Amino acid sequence: MAIAHQPDNSKNVEFIYPLSPLQQGMLFHTLYDSKSRMYFQQLTCSLDGHLNVSAFEQAWTKVVERHTVLRTVFVWEKRNKPLQIVCKSVNLPWIHYDWRLLSPVEQQDHLEAFLQLDRDQGFELNQAPLMRYTIIHKANNQYQFIWSYHHILIDGWSLPNIFQEVFAFYNALIENDNLYLKTPRPYRDYITWLQKQDTSKAEIFWQQQLKDFTAPTPLIVDKPLKNQERHSSYNKQEIYLSEQTTAALNSFARQHQLTLNNLVQGAYGLLLSRYSGEADVVFGATVSGRPPALAGVESMVGLFINTLPVRVSITDDTELLPWLKNLQVQQLECEQYSYSPLVDIHSWSEVPRGLPLFESIVVFENYPLNASLQQQIANLDVFDIQSIERTNYPLTVIVVPGSQLSLNINYDTSRFDYDAITRMLGHFQTLLEGIVTHSKQPISQLPLLTASEQKQLL
């Protein structure tokens, strides 16, 4: 598998500027545990129809030319602080396979082997570009597309913008039209905005928010970490709530001026409390981190997300609805300081630096990636969109809205058994359902056990 490396040439440098706090964190974890391929992203989808491969590649080239962050590399050696360098131009590496003579079973085996090999190869963060593309020809009008990239460049909220532009350019190239798109605001403007923020107010807020919280919430269902499992693997489990349950959750949120994300965070806070036996728990939540004060931020491409602590206090006689409302207010207050680096928040808390602030995070993916990929494209249908990634947390909960709410858990296999995660997903679902059906009862009355577990107890 060939990779196009950009030569070390100062004439190819367009901009140099510092990293955002989350970029610094990702750089640290990537270098600290390089074998884990942490924050290596793979987005795959199936393309059906007449794919003009040349136009598809040209469309991606045009998008990379438009967004500076997609031409960025990182340098850190012999420097007080790491820097990101934007290259004026990069050569995008494309890999092509023709598997039309293979059976469907052989194609699947080859695909799984390729995806693993691709992950094992990873990226050198000081060599551009930090992405590569693969097109696999599976049948006459069937293709598999794989885009591999490092998370340090972009977040999930950037993906719809990127794919909308790719397919807009693709359609224009197919129809031999000239396409004009407004020049996007560069990522460096966000870095400049970050450097102007007053951290003193944020420090006061987070100190108050985390006052008297001194140790991370234990994940009771995990197993003891063995020394030989230093480089552990990650696994993923996923369940879908029924359309009826999903509709009921959405209706409940609208009726009480809440959001689906509020319900998800409330249910997960309750789950942690029940599992740990603690009435005061903290977990992480990923926020979009796009400041409304930065004009044009909604169309910018880059890494804006941040992970912030969510503190949930629970008492047996607390009524559900007022508790959820309070959680919503807390969420809105935290968003005012969503630019705060997590490493700083940790230092402002009473949790010792040698311990993590939290060991699990909740990601609510409310960006319309599927809609962006399934828009009208010339002679092409896009489906079976999947994303493979891993974070530096032992347990990551990913919730994706839709006609059927998707609950995913990515977990460190050295810390959690498969069956424990299966039960956790069942309990998470039960708590979400209980929010709708037991809304007027104290939160202590919300059921945790699934129907099959209740039968076993009886």
Side-chain angles (χ1 to χ4, degrees):
M1 193 187 310
I3 293 185
H5 292 310
Q6 197 66 32
D8 182 15
N9 188 343
S10 58
K11 293 181 180 179
N12 194 35
V13 173
E14 186 171 359
F15 301 109
I16 301 176
Y17 46 89
L19 280 62
S20 71
L22 190 60
Q23 283 181 317
Q24 291 182 41
M26 288 187 179
L27 176 65
F28 169 78
H29 287 292
T30 301
L31 298 175
Y32 177 73
D33 192 4
S34 59
K35 292 184 180 179
S36 69
R37 299 309 177 198
M38 203 173 292
Y39 294 109
F40 182 92
Q41 310 280 109
Q42 282 177 325
L43 189 146
T44 71
C45 63
S46 297
L47 306 174
D48 270 19
H50 179 65
L51 175 66
N52 185 319
V53 174
S54 176
F56 192 56
E57 292 184 8
Q58 289 180 61
W60 274 100
T61 298
K62 289 180 178 294
V63 171
V64 171
E65 288 172 350
R66 280 173 50 78
H67 298 285
T68 55
V69 75
L70 300 179
R71 294 181 269 113
T72 297
V73 295
F74 300 83
V75 292
W76 60 91
E77 292 181 338
K78 299 179 181 179
R79 299 176 187 275
N80 293 330
K81 286 189 175 182
L83 295 170
Q84 50 188 323
I85 299 176
V86 176
C87 301
K88 291 179 181 178
S89 64
V90 294
N91 298 319
L92 299 183
W94 286 86
I95 304 162
H96 299 271
Y97 291 114
D98 188 342
W99 292 353
R100 284 178 289 180
L101 297 180
L102 300 179
S103 69
V105 173
E106 289 173 324
Q107 288 183 356
Q108 186 60 34
D109 290 343
H110 277 61
L111 178 61
E112 291 176 3
F114 168 78
L115 291 175
Q116 184 59 55
L117 181 65
D118 187 41
R119 286 193 292 272
D120 290 343
Q121 185 172 342
F123 290 108
E124 297 295 332
L125 294 182
N126 59 355
Q127 296 178 358
L130 296 179
M131 58 181 72
R132 53 181 171 265
Y133 309 87
T134 304
I135 293 179
I136 300 169
H137 201 169
K138 299 172 69 175
N140 285 341
N141 288 312
Q142 293 181 6
Y143 300 83
Q144 186 90 29
F145 172 61
I146 299 137
W147 177 31
S148 304
Y149 61 94
H150 200 286
H151 199 356
I152 198 170
L153 297 180
I154 57 172
D155 54 29
W157 276 264
S158 298
L159 296 179
N161 291 333
I162 290 172
F163 278 100
Q164 285 168 6
E165 291 186 8
V166 166
F167 287 118
F169 279 118
Y170 178 79
N171 282 334
L173 289 163
I174 291 293
E175 297 167 8
N176 202 26
D177 287 342
N178 289 323
L179 176 67
Y180 171 77
L181 296 178
K182 184 180 177 181
T183 301
R185 194 163 186 177
Y187 185 64
R188 71 179 186 277
D189 286 2
Y190 169 66
I191 301 294
T192 301
W193 179 88
L194 272 179
Q195 293 173 330
K196 294 178 180 178
Q197 301 313 301
D198 181 7
T199 58
S200 59
K201 292 181 179 179
E203 181 177 0
I204 294 170
F205 172 79
W206 289 113
Q207 281 179 340
Q208 186 62 36
Q209 191 73 16
L210 296 170
K211 185 177 174 59
D212 298 327
F213 187 81
T214 58
T217 303
L219 299 171
I220 297 299
V221 293
D222 65 349
K223 54 187 181 180
L225 183 64
K226 298 177 182 177
N227 291 331
Q228 64 267 30
E229 293 179 316
R230 175 69 184 84
H231 298 295
S232 57
S233 63
Y234 272 62
N235 202 355
K236 172 182 175 181
Q237 290 190 47
E238 178 179 27
I239 61 172
Y240 287 87
L241 273 57
S242 68
E243 291 186 3
Q244 181 181 1
T245 299
T246 303
L249 284 165
N250 281 312
S251 176
F252 180 88
R254 286 193 302 270
Q255 179 186 350
H256 299 288
Q257 290 80 51
L258 298 165
T259 66
L260 194 54
N261 191 16
N262 292 142
L263 306 188
V264 166
Q265 290 192 10
Y268 188 70
L270 288 171
L271 182 72
L272 272 187
S273 176
R274 300 279 183 92
Y275 272 43
S276 66
E278 297 185 357
D280 186 16
V281 302
V282 170
F283 60 92
T286 300
V287 296
S288 69
R290 293 177 180 249
L294 192 61
V297 71
E298 66 283 346
S299 60
M300 291 174 68
V301 169
L303 186 71
F304 297 86
I305 58 169
N306 199 4
T307 302
L308 303 174
V310 177
R311 188 175 187 177
V312 178
S313 298
I314 298 162
T315 54
D316 289 344
D317 58 348
T318 305
E319 290 187 15
L320 177 65
L321 269 175
W323 179 75
L324 287 171
K325 291 278 189 182
N326 184 62
L327 193 62
Q328 183 184 44
V329 171
Q330 176 186 325
Q331 187 177 348
L332 292 172
E333 290 174 343
C334 291
E335 285 179 1
Q336 296 179 52
Y337 304 98
S338 62
Y339 58 83
S340 308
L342 184 57
V343 66
D344 290 347
I345 297 174
H346 192 166
S347 69
W348 298 330
S349 77
E350 298 171 42
V351 176
R353 293 299 293 269
L355 295 175
L357 191 55
F358 44 78
E359 289 200 297
S360 62
I361 65 171
V362 174
V363 182
F364 189 82
E365 293 188 348
N366 60 344
Y367 45 84
L369 176 57
N370 283 18
S372 302
L373 284 170
Q374 292 169 343
Q375 61 182 313
Q376 187 64 36
I377 307 161
N379 304 317
L380 212 57
D381 291 323
V382 183
F383 62 97
D384 193 21
I385 305 153
Q386 298 184 35
S387 181
I388 301 171
E389 62 179 299
R390 63 153 294 193
T391 70
N392 59 292
Y393 296 99
L395 193 144
T396 300
V397 179
I398 302 173
V399 180
V400 184
S403 59
Q404 289 184 268
L405 191 70
S406 165
L407 308 179
N408 306 264
I409 294 183
N410 292 350
Y411 61 98
D412 185 339
T413 55
S414 72
R415 295 283 300 274
F416 301 96
D417 290 319
Y418 183 91
D419 291 343
I421 298 300
T422 302
R423 289 192 298 273
M424 183 180 287
L425 280 169
H427 296 157
F428 194 16
Q429 177 178 351
T430 302
L431 285 168
L432 281 168
E433 293 169 346
I435 285 175
V436 176
T437 56
H438 296 70
S439 62
K440 296 182 179 179
Q441 297 184 18
I443 54 178
S444 59
Q445 299 299 312
L446 261 65
L448 178 73
L449 300 181
T450 63
S452 60
E453 287 173 328
Q454 290 175 6
K455 281 184 181 179
Q456 287 177 345
L457 282 178
L458 290 173

